[in-house]
Amino acid sequence: MRRPRTPRTPPRPPLALLSAARHRAPDRVARHLEAVADALLAFQHTVLPLGDEKPSAAHRSRLALAEAAGTVLASSLSALGISAPDRI
């Protein structure tokens, strides 16, 4: 049985911001945000327990990762001068 492909890990936000500033290319930040959002969406359906299932340590870890991704997205949008919504 083949293992599912894992999404490519996007670059760290400070590196993406530094690269965008160095090359005067804000589109690099936008591409970074797209990569972060795509990586989050790839596993989003596994974040919360289903039905009566009790939350496990894995669920709590995935939820923390989703919150961290939201922080990265919001701070990167802010660097572009765009305000992020509180909820989507």
Side-chain angles (χ1 to χ4, degrees):
M1 178 180 239
R2 282 180 74 172
R3 294 176 63 187
R5 283 184 70 199
T6 56
R8 192 174 65 117
T9 304
R12 295 180 188 174
L15 296 177
L17 289 173
L18 289 173
S19 174
R22 184 173 49 250
H23 296 285
R24 295 183 181 178
D27 60 300
R28 290 179 182 218
V29 177
R31 282 197 301 268
H32 169 72
L33 293 177
E34 185 178 11
V36 170
D38 286 346
L40 178 62
L41 289 174
F43 84 99
Q44 180 183 14
H45 65 278
T46 64
V47 172
L48 299 174
L50 300 173
D52 293 337
E53 183 183 8
K54 300 240 190 255
S56 67
H59 288 114
R60 289 187 290 277
S61 296
R62 291 179 187 133
L63 188 56
L65 181 58
E67 289 175 4
T71 299
V72 168
L73 292 170
S75 64
S76 297
L77 285 172
S78 177
L80 291 174
I82 301 169
S83 59
D86 291 332
R87 295 185 64 87
I88 294 179

